[in-house]
Amino acid sequence: MTYQYILTQLSENILTITINRPDKLNALNRDLLQEIKDAVMNAQTNEEVAGIILTGSGQKAFAAGADIAEFSSYSVEEGTSLSGAGHLVMNEIENSTKPVVAAVNGFALGGGCELALACHIRMASTNAKFGQPEVKLGLIPGYGGTQRLTRCIGKAQALEFLLTADTIGAEKAKLLGLVNEVVAPEELLSHCKSLLDKVKTKSPLTIAQILKLSNNYYQGSGFEEEIKEFGNCFGTADFKEGTDAFFNKRVAIFTGK
Ligand code: COA
């Protein structure tokens, strides 16, 4: 299958999905996210696939977030719909019956961090950087970040990220439990492959059961509420100010309106 924004390669029962928009730091537009969803969905019924690696092309980014240019003039309804569609993509990954490993090879910001969080396991290269900078845009995370980040690293650590928009490096991410291991950029993919090589010798049934049961740990209505509140941001002056500031490379001045 040929896609516009992602590359897929199946080798030795491991499907590698590479986000391929390096000139935009692999920013996640709607079509790109649908392509990831489609590739993960197809992998579910492909007996050749035992595991999936998700990574970004280029040296700089896993994904620098949702595509700000695409959504900067969205209405509340369009924002809500964007978030709802994004959640379905993240759920597809999280509910995959084949393990999905994020190979985070640079910026994983906003939607990029949320995409990594939806994966079952995260490995990082030494140049990886994580953050949820949405508040700088007068926005909140819209692809599950308020929920999955909190569940992954705990409420206080997650709130520090979510409220300040601070970015952290790979070593700090490992300390927080956001990533399992930090390896040199040139070893990242082979490291992820080694992990999946161990998994693929096991029964696909037991692997699928464990993945399903581990997701049962996470329940609650937070995801639905996040979609609603993300959409509401698009009706605010602060969102318009935040996105305008990003494009004009200036600091936003928020008024709470
Ligand atoms: N959406 C759309 N375009 C993006 C993007 C995003 N999230 N992140 C980066 N880009 C684009 C830039 O606009 C730029 O495009 P251009 O060359 O056509 O001007 C290109 O990718 C390179 O980015 P640039 O900002 O020039 O790189 P940098 O090394 O100076 O800075 C970042 C890197 C990641 C710090 C910066 O791009 C950034 O802050 N991105 C937005 C992060 C964000 O807020 N994500 C959450 C979105 S909800």
Side-chain angles (χ1 to χ4, degrees):
M1 173 100 194
T2 309
Y3 294 105
Q4 186 178 358
Y5 295 111
I6 62 170
L7 304 171
T8 56
Q9 193 205 3
L10 179 58
S11 168
E12 296 175 34
N13 304 108
I14 296 169
L15 176 70
T16 302
I17 303 173
T18 306
I19 304 165
N20 192 29
R21 262 191 111 193
D23 55 326
K24 295 290 177 191
L25 301 185
N26 299 323
L28 307 165
N29 62 33
R30 282 189 94 136
D31 289 346
L32 191 160
L33 281 174
Q34 288 313 306
E35 290 185 1
I36 294 177
K37 181 167 174 247
D38 187 72
V40 173
M41 209 165 70
N42 287 340
Q44 304 308 303
T45 50
N46 184 347
E47 287 181 7
E48 293 290 304
V49 179
I52 301 169
I53 297 172
L54 181 59
T55 193
S57 69
Q59 309 298 316
K60 232 175 138 179
F62 174 74
D67 189 334
I68 301 168
E70 185 179 60
F71 68 48
S72 59
S73 55
Y74 272 10
S75 64
V76 167
E77 290 71 29
E78 288 169 318
T80 309
S81 150
L82 176 72
S83 180
H87 271 257
L88 293 179
V89 180
M90 304 304 151
N91 293 346
E92 183 74 38
I93 295 170
E94 190 167 63
N95 294 326
S96 168
T97 56
K98 324 272 172 105
V100 186
V101 180
V104 182
N105 59 318
F107 289 115
L109 303 179
C113 190
E114 293 170 294
L115 183 62
L117 282 163
C119 296
H120 301 119
I121 293 172
R122 287 156 292 286
M123 300 292 183
S125 61
T126 46
N127 66 332
K129 288 198 171 55
F130 298 83
Q132 297 285 163
E134 287 86 352
V135 286
K136 283 200 327 208
L137 299 170
L139 197 58
I140 65 170
Y143 297 157
T146 62
Q147 308 302 298
R148 290 195 183 92
L149 185 63
T150 308
R151 290 161 181 178
C152 182
I153 64 174
K155 185 172 163 185
Q157 296 289 356
L159 283 176
E160 191 172 332
F161 261 75
L162 296 163
L163 300 180
T164 66
D166 281 353
T167 298
I168 59 162
E171 287 300 340
K172 176 85 187 283
K174 175 152 192 269
L175 213 63
L176 293 175
L178 183 53
V179 303
N180 288 35
E181 298 292 343
V182 180
V183 297
E186 60 277 14
E187 288 166 16
L188 182 62
L189 288 179
S190 60
H191 188 76
C192 296
K193 186 177 171 297
S194 302
L195 184 147
L196 290 175
D197 280 342
K198 288 183 204 164
V199 178
K200 77 187 189 193
T201 60
K202 315 297 186 298
S203 158
L205 293 176
T206 57
I207 298 303
Q209 283 163 335
I210 289 169
L211 291 173
K212 183 171 162 223
L213 290 168
S214 71
N215 286 337
N216 279 354
Y217 175 68
Y218 304 116
Q219 298 293 340
S221 64
F223 287 117
E224 287 74 33
E225 284 168 36
E226 185 190 271
I227 294 171
K228 187 164 153 259
E229 294 302 343
F230 180 84
N232 285 339
C233 291
F234 288 79
T236 68
D238 278 350
F239 169 69
K240 289 176 182 63
E241 166 65 7
T243 47
D244 184 73
F246 173 75
F247 289 123
N248 291 299
K249 300 190 189 296
R250 63 175 177 83
V251 176
I253 299 167
F254 294 118
T255 59
K257 304 271 171 22

